[in-house]
mmCIF file of all heavy atoms in Angstrom:
data_model
loop_
_atom_site.group_PDB
_atom_site.id
_atom_site.type_symbol
_atom_site.label_atom_id
_atom_site.label_comp_id
_atom_site.label_asym_id
_atom_site.label_seq_id
_atom_site.Cartn_x
_atom_site.Cartn_y
_atom_site.Cartn_z
ATOM 1 N N MET A 78 120.457 104.011 110.861
ATOM 2 C CA MET A 78 119.958 105.396 111.107
ATOM 3 C C MET A 78 119.098 105.811 109.947
ATOM 4 O O MET A 78 119.259 105.303 108.829
ATOM 5 C CB MET A 78 121.148 106.341 111.252
ATOM 6 C CG MET A 78 122.045 106.099 112.423
ATOM 7 S SD MET A 78 123.378 107.300 112.566
ATOM 8 C CE MET A 78 124.422 106.834 111.166
ATOM 9 N N PRO A 79 118.160 106.772 110.162
ATOM 10 C CA PRO A 79 117.421 107.287 109.051
ATOM 11 C C PRO A 79 118.347 108.044 108.092
ATOM 12 O O PRO A 79 119.377 108.548 108.483
ATOM 13 C CB PRO A 79 116.411 108.228 109.695
ATOM 14 C CG PRO A 79 116.869 108.466 111.082
ATOM 15 C CD PRO A 79 117.814 107.372 111.431
ATOM 16 N N GLY A 80 117.962 108.076 106.798
ATOM 17 C CA GLY A 80 118.868 108.730 105.828
ATOM 18 C C GLY A 80 120.022 107.813 105.509
ATOM 19 O O GLY A 80 119.874 106.596 105.351
ATOM 20 N N LEU A 81 121.201 108.369 105.406
ATOM 21 C CA LEU A 81 122.406 107.551 105.132
ATOM 22 C C LEU A 81 122.647 106.617 106.322
ATOM 23 O O LEU A 81 122.515 107.010 107.465
ATOM 24 C CB LEU A 81 123.651 108.456 104.982
ATOM 25 C CG LEU A 81 123.744 109.312 103.736
ATOM 26 C CD1 LEU A 81 125.021 110.170 103.778
ATOM 27 C CD2 LEU A 81 123.741 108.457 102.479
ATOM 28 N N SER A 82 123.017 105.387 106.019
ATOM 29 C CA SER A 82 123.309 104.415 107.050
ATOM 30 C C SER A 82 124.750 104.591 107.570
ATOM 31 O O SER A 82 125.554 105.307 106.964
ATOM 32 C CB SER A 82 123.170 102.996 106.505
ATOM 33 O OG SER A 82 124.253 102.717 105.598
ATOM 34 N N GLY A 83 125.040 103.951 108.660
ATOM 35 C CA GLY A 83 126.400 103.952 109.191
ATOM 36 C C GLY A 83 127.372 103.356 108.193
ATOM 37 O O GLY A 83 128.527 103.779 108.099
ATOM 38 N N LYS A 84 126.926 102.341 107.432
ATOM 39 C CA LYS A 84 127.772 101.740 106.435
ATOM 40 C C LYS A 84 128.151 102.754 105.334
ATOM 41 O O LYS A 84 129.306 102.827 104.916
ATOM 42 C CB LYS A 84 127.106 100.504 105.832
ATOM 43 C CG LYS A 84 127.950 99.803 104.800
ATOM 44 C CD LYS A 84 127.235 98.587 104.257
ATOM 45 C CE LYS A 84 128.076 97.877 103.221
ATOM 46 N NZ LYS A 84 127.417 96.653 102.692
ATOM 47 N N GLU A 85 127.157 103.540 104.909
ATOM 48 C CA GLU A 85 127.418 104.555 103.910
ATOM 49 C C GLU A 85 128.369 105.663 104.469
ATOM 50 O O GLU A 85 129.267 106.159 103.789
ATOM 51 C CB GLU A 85 126.115 105.194 103.442
ATOM 52 C CG GLU A 85 125.296 104.227 102.594
ATOM 53 C CD GLU A 85 123.864 104.691 102.397
ATOM 54 O OE1 GLU A 85 123.188 105.003 103.420
ATOM 55 O OE2 GLU A 85 123.438 104.735 101.237
ATOM 56 N N LEU A 86 128.170 105.988 105.757
ATOM 57 C CA LEU A 86 129.061 106.954 106.419
ATOM 58 C C LEU A 86 130.474 106.382 106.449
ATOM 59 O O LEU A 86 131.435 107.118 106.157
ATOM 60 C CB LEU A 86 128.548 107.265 107.820
ATOM 61 C CG LEU A 86 129.431 108.220 108.623
ATOM 62 C CD1 LEU A 86 129.598 109.578 107.940
ATOM 63 C CD2 LEU A 86 128.840 108.413 110.036
ATOM 64 N N LEU A 87 130.616 105.112 106.835
ATOM 65 C CA LEU A 87 131.938 104.477 106.825
ATOM 66 C C LEU A 87 132.619 104.632 105.480
ATOM 67 O O LEU A 87 133.786 105.037 105.401
ATOM 68 C CB LEU A 87 131.798 102.991 107.211
ATOM 69 C CG LEU A 87 132.997 102.103 106.981
ATOM 70 C CD1 LEU A 87 134.125 102.485 107.961
ATOM 71 C CD2 LEU A 87 132.661 100.626 107.127
ATOM 72 N N THR A 88 131.897 104.280 104.428
ATOM 73 C CA THR A 88 132.485 104.365 103.083
ATOM 74 C C THR A 88 132.966 105.761 102.761
ATOM 75 O O THR A 88 134.030 105.961 102.252
ATOM 76 C CB THR A 88 131.421 103.888 102.043
ATOM 77 O OG1 THR A 88 130.981 102.564 102.401
ATOM 78 C CG2 THR A 88 131.981 103.872 100.646
ATOM 79 N N ARG A 89 132.133 106.750 103.071
ATOM 80 C CA ARG A 89 132.479 108.152 102.776
ATOM 81 C C ARG A 89 133.690 108.614 103.601
ATOM 82 O O ARG A 89 134.549 109.337 103.122
ATOM 83 C CB ARG A 89 131.298 109.056 102.970
ATOM 84 C CG ARG A 89 130.250 108.785 101.917
ATOM 85 C CD ARG A 89 129.275 109.891 101.784
ATOM 86 N NE ARG A 89 128.202 109.524 100.875
ATOM 87 C CZ ARG A 89 127.220 110.300 100.623
ATOM 88 N NH1 ARG A 89 127.086 111.487 101.190
ATOM 89 N NH2 ARG A 89 126.291 109.915 99.773
ATOM 90 N N VAL A 90 133.694 108.254 104.910
ATOM 91 C CA VAL A 90 134.812 108.660 105.778
ATOM 92 C C VAL A 90 136.105 108.050 105.226
ATOM 93 O O VAL A 90 137.122 108.728 105.137
ATOM 94 C CB VAL A 90 134.556 108.276 107.219
ATOM 95 C CG1 VAL A 90 135.810 108.461 108.084
ATOM 96 C CG2 VAL A 90 133.410 109.076 107.810
ATOM 97 N N LEU A 91 136.051 106.782 104.855
ATOM 98 C CA LEU A 91 137.281 106.113 104.364
ATOM 99 C C LEU A 91 137.754 106.740 103.045
ATOM 100 O O LEU A 91 138.955 106.807 102.805
ATOM 101 C CB LEU A 91 137.030 104.611 104.185
ATOM 102 C CG LEU A 91 136.805 103.842 105.476
ATOM 103 C CD1 LEU A 91 136.434 102.388 105.175
ATOM 104 C CD2 LEU A 91 138.016 103.926 106.391
ATOM 105 N N GLU A 92 136.823 107.184 102.199
ATOM 106 C CA GLU A 92 137.215 107.842 100.942
ATOM 107 C C GLU A 92 137.785 109.222 101.206
ATOM 108 O O GLU A 92 138.813 109.583 100.605
ATOM 109 C CB GLU A 92 135.958 108.002 100.049
ATOM 110 C CG GLU A 92 135.517 106.734 99.385
ATOM 111 C CD GLU A 92 134.154 106.935 98.643
ATOM 112 O OE1 GLU A 92 133.658 108.060 98.565
ATOM 113 O OE2 GLU A 92 133.619 105.927 98.202
ATOM 114 N N MET A 93 137.098 109.995 102.027
ATOM 115 C CA MET A 93 137.456 111.423 102.216
ATOM 116 C C MET A 93 138.543 111.622 103.281
ATOM 117 O O MET A 93 139.324 112.558 103.179
ATOM 118 C CB MET A 93 136.213 112.243 102.526
ATOM 119 C CG MET A 93 135.218 112.217 101.381
ATOM 120 S SD MET A 93 133.487 112.688 101.739
ATOM 121 C CE MET A 93 133.600 114.023 102.871
ATOM 122 N N TYR A 94 138.564 110.781 104.297
ATOM 123 C CA TYR A 94 139.490 110.936 105.433
ATOM 124 C C TYR A 94 140.089 109.570 105.746
ATOM 125 O O TYR A 94 139.777 108.964 106.783
ATOM 126 C CB TYR A 94 138.754 111.514 106.669
ATOM 127 C CG TYR A 94 137.847 112.677 106.309
ATOM 128 C CD1 TYR A 94 136.475 112.508 106.095
ATOM 129 C CD2 TYR A 94 138.371 113.961 106.126
ATOM 130 C CE1 TYR A 94 135.664 113.550 105.738
ATOM 131 C CE2 TYR A 94 137.554 115.018 105.757
ATOM 132 C CZ TYR A 94 136.195 114.810 105.565
ATOM 133 O OH TYR A 94 135.394 115.878 105.195
ATOM 134 N N PRO A 95 140.921 109.021 104.863
ATOM 135 C CA PRO A 95 141.358 107.631 104.976
ATOM 136 C C PRO A 95 142.119 107.298 106.266
ATOM 137 O O PRO A 95 142.151 106.140 106.635
ATOM 138 C CB PRO A 95 142.232 107.442 103.748
ATOM 139 C CG PRO A 95 142.521 108.794 103.215
ATOM 140 C CD PRO A 95 141.441 109.692 103.695
ATOM 141 N N GLY A 96 142.669 108.271 106.949
ATOM 142 C CA GLY A 96 143.397 107.964 108.167
ATOM 143 C C GLY A 96 142.538 107.978 109.429
ATOM 144 O O GLY A 96 143.023 107.713 110.527
ATOM 145 N N THR A 97 141.226 108.197 109.279
ATOM 146 C CA THR A 97 140.319 108.304 110.428
ATOM 147 C C THR A 97 139.693 106.955 110.740
ATOM 148 O O THR A 97 138.903 106.442 109.918
ATOM 149 C CB THR A 97 139.215 109.357 110.194
ATOM 150 O OG1 THR A 97 139.815 110.597 109.830
ATOM 151 C CG2 THR A 97 138.324 109.508 111.408
ATOM 152 N N PRO A 98 139.997 106.343 111.874
ATOM 153 C CA PRO A 98 139.389 105.073 112.253
ATOM 154 C C PRO A 98 137.891 105.276 112.527
ATOM 155 O O PRO A 98 137.492 106.248 113.131
ATOM 156 C CB PRO A 98 140.093 104.654 113.531
ATOM 157 C CG PRO A 98 141.245 105.590 113.707
ATOM 158 C CD PRO A 98 140.973 106.802 112.886
ATOM 159 N N VAL A 99 137.085 104.306 112.031
ATOM 160 C CA VAL A 99 135.637 104.327 112.247
ATOM 161 C C VAL A 99 135.217 103.101 113.019
ATOM 162 O O VAL A 99 135.508 101.961 112.600
ATOM 163 C CB VAL A 99 134.859 104.380 110.931
ATOM 164 C CG1 VAL A 99 133.354 104.415 111.149
ATOM 165 C CG2 VAL A 99 135.323 105.608 110.093
ATOM 166 N N ILE A 100 134.611 103.303 114.187
ATOM 167 C CA ILE A 100 134.109 102.193 115.026
ATOM 168 C C ILE A 100 132.625 102.103 114.789
ATOM 169 O O ILE A 100 131.878 103.058 114.968
ATOM 170 C CB ILE A 100 134.412 102.478 116.504
ATOM 171 C CG1 ILE A 100 135.937 102.563 116.694
ATOM 172 C CG2 ILE A 100 133.815 101.392 117.375
ATOM 173 C CD1 ILE A 100 136.367 103.060 118.059
ATOM 174 N N MET A 101 132.160 100.914 114.380
ATOM 175 C CA MET A 101 130.747 100.703 114.075
ATOM 176 C C MET A 101 130.020 100.160 115.352
ATOM 177 O O MET A 101 130.593 99.343 116.079
ATOM 178 C CB MET A 101 130.589 99.689 112.967
ATOM 179 C CG MET A 101 131.378 99.998 111.691
ATOM 180 S SD MET A 101 131.013 101.586 110.934
ATOM 181 C CE MET A 101 129.363 101.315 110.355
ATOM 182 N N ILE A 102 128.791 100.641 115.540
ATOM 183 C CA ILE A 102 127.981 100.200 116.674
ATOM 184 C C ILE A 102 126.656 99.636 116.107
ATOM 185 O O ILE A 102 126.034 100.282 115.276
ATOM 186 C CB ILE A 102 127.658 101.370 117.599
ATOM 187 C CG1 ILE A 102 128.942 102.047 118.106
ATOM 188 C CG2 ILE A 102 126.803 100.933 118.789
ATOM 189 C CD1 ILE A 102 128.722 103.354 118.790
ATOM 190 N N SER A 103 126.271 98.483 116.632
ATOM 191 C CA SER A 103 125.018 97.875 116.121
ATOM 192 C C SER A 103 124.256 97.162 117.238
ATOM 193 O O SER A 103 124.864 96.620 118.147
ATOM 194 C CB SER A 103 125.321 96.855 115.020
ATOM 195 O OG SER A 103 124.140 96.265 114.545
ATOM 196 N N GLY A 104 122.945 97.199 117.111
ATOM 197 C CA GLY A 104 122.084 96.471 118.027
ATOM 198 C C GLY A 104 121.800 95.058 117.523
ATOM 199 O O GLY A 104 121.121 94.275 118.174
ATOM 200 N N ILE A 105 122.309 94.746 116.341
ATOM 201 C CA ILE A 105 122.039 93.436 115.720
ATOM 202 C C ILE A 105 123.321 92.618 115.707
ATOM 203 O O ILE A 105 124.326 93.019 115.142
ATOM 204 C CB ILE A 105 121.505 93.620 114.283
ATOM 205 C CG1 ILE A 105 120.230 94.449 114.332
ATOM 206 C CG2 ILE A 105 121.287 92.253 113.637
ATOM 207 C CD1 ILE A 105 119.826 94.958 112.997
ATOM 208 N N SER A 106 123.284 91.437 116.315
ATOM 209 C CA SER A 106 124.426 90.553 116.317
ATOM 210 C C SER A 106 124.430 89.790 114.968
ATOM 211 O O SER A 106 123.661 88.830 114.791
ATOM 212 C CB SER A 106 124.325 89.572 117.482
ATOM 213 O OG SER A 106 125.403 88.651 117.445
ATOM 214 N N ASP A 107 125.249 90.232 114.064
ATOM 215 C CA ASP A 107 125.305 89.616 112.731
ATOM 216 C C ASP A 107 126.767 89.499 112.335
ATOM 217 O O ASP A 107 127.405 90.484 111.948
ATOM 218 C CB ASP A 107 124.541 90.525 111.739
ATOM 219 C CG ASP A 107 124.552 89.972 110.348
ATOM 220 O OD1 ASP A 107 125.386 89.131 110.005
ATOM 221 O OD2 ASP A 107 123.668 90.434 109.562
ATOM 222 N N GLN A 108 127.310 88.294 112.462
ATOM 223 C CA GLN A 108 128.727 88.072 112.185
ATOM 224 C C GLN A 108 129.083 88.424 110.732
ATOM 225 O O GLN A 108 130.140 88.972 110.475
ATOM 226 C CB GLN A 108 129.092 86.594 112.460
ATOM 227 C CG GLN A 108 129.592 86.350 113.851
ATOM 228 C CD GLN A 108 130.689 87.326 114.314
ATOM 229 O OE1 GLN A 108 130.422 88.146 115.179
ATOM 230 N NE2 GLN A 108 131.860 87.234 113.750
ATOM 231 N N GLU A 109 128.170 88.081 109.827
ATOM 232 C CA GLU A 109 128.425 88.414 108.409
ATOM 233 C C GLU A 109 128.558 89.912 108.211
ATOM 234 O O GLU A 109 129.460 90.357 107.531
ATOM 235 C CB GLU A 109 127.316 87.866 107.537
ATOM 236 C CG GLU A 109 127.706 86.664 106.728
ATOM 237 C CD GLU A 109 126.544 86.163 105.892
ATOM 238 O OE1 GLU A 109 126.096 86.913 105.002
ATOM 239 O OE2 GLU A 109 126.147 84.998 106.108
ATOM 240 N N GLN A 110 127.645 90.675 108.816
ATOM 241 C CA GLN A 110 127.697 92.131 108.705
ATOM 242 C C GLN A 110 128.955 92.657 109.334
ATOM 243 O O GLN A 110 129.624 93.497 108.786
ATOM 244 C CB GLN A 110 126.462 92.760 109.363
ATOM 245 C CG GLN A 110 126.497 94.267 109.283
ATOM 246 C CD GLN A 110 125.248 94.918 109.860
ATOM 247 O OE1 GLN A 110 124.153 94.402 109.680
ATOM 248 N NE2 GLN A 110 125.425 95.980 110.554
ATOM 249 N N ALA A 111 129.294 92.130 110.517
ATOM 250 C CA ALA A 111 130.501 92.564 111.196
ATOM 251 C C ALA A 111 131.732 92.336 110.326
ATOM 252 O O ALA A 111 132.540 93.243 110.129
ATOM 253 C CB ALA A 111 130.659 91.860 112.520
ATOM 254 N N GLN A 112 131.851 91.148 109.768
ATOM 255 C CA GLN A 112 132.988 90.825 108.912
ATOM 256 C C GLN A 112 133.016 91.709 107.654
ATOM 257 O O GLN A 112 134.065 92.151 107.215
ATOM 258 C CB GLN A 112 132.972 89.345 108.511
ATOM 259 C CG GLN A 112 133.280 88.424 109.665
ATOM 260 C CD GLN A 112 134.700 88.636 110.208
ATOM 261 O OE1 GLN A 112 135.082 89.726 110.551
ATOM 262 N NE2 GLN A 112 135.445 87.560 110.285
ATOM 263 N N SER A 113 131.854 91.958 107.098
ATOM 264 C CA SER A 113 131.742 92.779 105.910
ATOM 265 C C SER A 113 132.239 94.210 106.198
ATOM 266 O O SER A 113 132.961 94.791 105.428
ATOM 267 C CB SER A 113 130.305 92.784 105.440
ATOM 268 O OG SER A 113 130.062 93.847 104.540
ATOM 269 N N LEU A 114 131.802 94.751 107.342
ATOM 270 C CA LEU A 114 132.212 96.112 107.704
ATOM 271 C C LEU A 114 133.707 96.205 108.009
ATOM 272 O O LEU A 114 134.362 97.154 107.637
ATOM 273 C CB LEU A 114 131.380 96.619 108.886
ATOM 274 C CG LEU A 114 129.913 96.857 108.570
ATOM 275 C CD1 LEU A 114 129.098 97.077 109.834
ATOM 276 C CD2 LEU A 114 129.738 98.031 107.608
ATOM 277 N N ILE A 115 134.233 95.203 108.689
ATOM 278 C CA ILE A 115 135.669 95.162 108.997
ATOM 279 C C ILE A 115 136.444 95.048 107.690
ATOM 280 O O ILE A 115 137.436 95.761 107.496
ATOM 281 C CB ILE A 115 136.003 94.002 109.943
ATOM 282 C CG1 ILE A 115 135.325 94.167 111.289
ATOM 283 C CG2 ILE A 115 137.519 93.841 110.111
ATOM 284 C CD1 ILE A 115 135.762 95.363 112.133
ATOM 285 N N SER A 116 135.987 94.211 106.739
ATOM 286 C CA SER A 116 136.729 94.100 105.503
ATOM 287 C C SER A 116 136.581 95.362 104.641
ATOM 288 O O SER A 116 137.481 95.657 103.839
ATOM 289 C CB SER A 116 136.351 92.865 104.703
ATOM 290 O OG SER A 116 134.989 92.680 104.608
ATOM 291 N N LEU A 117 135.506 96.134 104.840
ATOM 292 C CA LEU A 117 135.391 97.413 104.160
ATOM 293 C C LEU A 117 136.362 98.446 104.711
ATOM 294 O O LEU A 117 136.704 99.402 104.041
ATOM 295 C CB LEU A 117 133.966 97.976 104.375
ATOM 296 C CG LEU A 117 132.927 97.630 103.320
ATOM 297 C CD1 LEU A 117 131.585 98.216 103.719
ATOM 298 C CD2 LEU A 117 133.324 98.159 101.959
ATOM 299 N N GLY A 118 136.791 98.233 105.965
ATOM 300 C CA GLY A 118 137.745 99.153 106.548
ATOM 301 C C GLY A 118 137.372 99.699 107.921
ATOM 302 O O GLY A 118 138.096 100.527 108.486
ATOM 303 N N ALA A 119 136.242 99.218 108.506
ATOM 304 C CA ALA A 119 135.911 99.636 109.880
ATOM 305 C C ALA A 119 136.964 99.165 110.809
ATOM 306 O O ALA A 119 137.534 98.081 110.690
ATOM 307 C CB ALA A 119 134.543 99.039 110.282
ATOM 308 N N PHE A 120 137.262 100.021 111.808
ATOM 309 C CA PHE A 120 138.303 99.640 112.782
ATOM 310 C C PHE A 120 137.807 98.589 113.742
ATOM 311 O O PHE A 120 138.504 97.676 114.136
ATOM 312 C CB PHE A 120 138.751 100.906 113.581
ATOM 313 C CG PHE A 120 139.719 100.565 114.651
ATOM 314 C CD1 PHE A 120 141.066 100.357 114.294
ATOM 315 C CD2 PHE A 120 139.362 100.449 115.964
ATOM 316 C CE1 PHE A 120 141.991 100.022 115.256
ATOM 317 C CE2 PHE A 120 140.283 100.088 116.925
ATOM 318 C CZ PHE A 120 141.606 99.907 116.589
ATOM 319 N N ASP A 121 136.519 98.725 114.169
ATOM 320 C CA ASP A 121 135.943 97.789 115.153
ATOM 321 C C ASP A 121 134.434 97.729 114.966
ATOM 322 O O ASP A 121 133.850 98.576 114.344
ATOM 323 C CB ASP A 121 136.301 98.247 116.569
ATOM 324 C CG ASP A 121 136.295 97.143 117.621
ATOM 325 O OD1 ASP A 121 135.873 96.009 117.292
ATOM 326 O OD2 ASP A 121 136.695 97.420 118.766
ATOM 327 N N TYR A 122 133.802 96.702 115.553
ATOM 328 C CA TYR A 122 132.374 96.485 115.492
ATOM 329 C C TYR A 122 131.927 96.149 116.878
ATOM 330 O O TYR A 122 132.334 95.135 117.444
ATOM 331 C CB TYR A 122 132.088 95.335 114.518
ATOM 332 C CG TYR A 122 130.648 95.010 114.269
ATOM 333 C CD1 TYR A 122 129.945 95.581 113.224
ATOM 334 C CD2 TYR A 122 129.963 94.110 115.096
ATOM 335 C CE1 TYR A 122 128.615 95.277 112.970
ATOM 336 C CE2 TYR A 122 128.638 93.794 114.851
ATOM 337 C CZ TYR A 122 127.971 94.395 113.773
ATOM 338 O OH TYR A 122 126.665 94.085 113.535
ATOM 339 N N LEU A 123 131.123 97.042 117.503
ATOM 340 C CA LEU A 123 130.667 96.853 118.873
ATOM 341 C C LEU A 123 129.154 96.614 118.877
ATOM 342 O O LEU A 123 128.411 97.246 118.176
ATOM 343 C CB LEU A 123 130.974 98.095 119.717
ATOM 344 C CG LEU A 123 132.429 98.581 119.724
ATOM 345 C CD1 LEU A 123 132.550 99.856 120.541
ATOM 346 C CD2 LEU A 123 133.349 97.484 120.229
ATOM 347 N N LEU A 124 128.741 95.651 119.726
ATOM 348 C CA LEU A 124 127.324 95.340 119.849
ATOM 349 C C LEU A 124 126.672 96.051 120.988
ATOM 350 O O LEU A 124 127.226 96.156 122.074
ATOM 351 C CB LEU A 124 127.184 93.816 120.064
ATOM 352 C CG LEU A 124 127.158 92.925 118.870
ATOM 353 C CD1 LEU A 124 127.085 91.478 119.273
ATOM 354 C CD2 LEU A 124 126.028 93.274 117.934
ATOM 355 N N LYS A 125 125.463 96.566 120.727
ATOM 356 C CA LYS A 125 124.617 97.118 121.814
ATOM 357 C C LYS A 125 123.858 95.965 122.444
ATOM 358 O O LYS A 125 123.455 95.043 121.726
ATOM 359 C CB LYS A 125 123.569 98.099 121.259
ATOM 360 C CG LYS A 125 124.109 99.328 120.606
ATOM 361 C CD LYS A 125 122.941 100.144 120.058
ATOM 362 C CE LYS A 125 123.382 101.248 119.159
ATOM 363 N NZ LYS A 125 122.260 101.917 118.488
#
């Protein structure tokens, strides 16, 4: 997204609201990115 990315949003939500699950959505099939986001704390990674 323009401005802050979804990854930056994920990081801030996890810091400020640690009990809130964050589901990531991406148009790019990137296993490394998916694994990275899940290990950061994303609940799920869905592909468009």
Side-chain angles (χ1 to χ4, degrees):
M78 296 182 288
L81 290 177
S82 71
K84 181 178 180 179
E85 291 166 307
L86 178 60
L87 168 68
T88 303
R89 292 198 186 178
V90 170
L91 293 174
E92 284 172 7
M93 297 163 37
Y94 315 98
T97 304
V99 180
I100 299 169
M101 309 302 292
I102 303 168
S103 178
I105 301 166
S106 177
D107 181 342
Q108 269 310 110
E109 252 179 63
Q110 178 176 321
Q112 290 296 54
S113 164
L114 292 168
I115 297 294
S116 47
L117 269 177
F120 178 78
D121 204 353
Y122 183 93
L123 306 177
L124 275 177
K125 297 177 191 172

